[in-house]
Amino acid sequence: MQKKLYLSETDKKLCGVCGGIGEYFDIDSTLIRLAWVILSFFSLGIGGIIIYIIASLIIPKRQQNF
């Protein structure tokens, strides 16, 4: 079965990007968030914010099957 990357519906602070990445790689989303903040700090914040916005627009939401 192929794994797919989705925005997290349960583990999100803003849009669910870090939570979705954490679910995909099966690691704690807090570590993803911490790494994102550190990388954003070294790029003066702009790079991390732009990448986060692009990721939140590109990564799909999980479809609910009723």
Side-chain angles (χ1 to χ4, degrees):
M1 185 172 167
Q2 183 180 6
K3 289 173 62 172
K4 293 191 176 185
L5 177 62
Y6 294 106
L7 294 174
S8 178
E9 293 293 323
T10 57
D11 185 14
K12 62 181 182 178
K13 300 295 181 189
L14 294 175
C15 296
V17 173
C18 294
I21 293 171
E23 290 172 4
Y24 182 81
F25 289 110
D26 196 30
I27 58 175
D28 188 11
S29 62
T30 304
L31 296 175
I32 301 293
R33 289 183 185 101
L34 183 61
W36 204 293
V37 168
I38 291 170
L39 290 174
S40 294
F41 178 75
F42 286 113
S43 68
L44 301 176
I46 296 172
I49 293 170
I50 291 172
I51 292 171
Y52 190 91
I53 291 169
I54 291 171
S56 68
L57 295 173
I58 292 175
I59 299 172
K61 293 181 181 178
R62 187 180 308 270
Q63 297 295 323
Q64 299 282 337
N65 292 333
F66 294 102

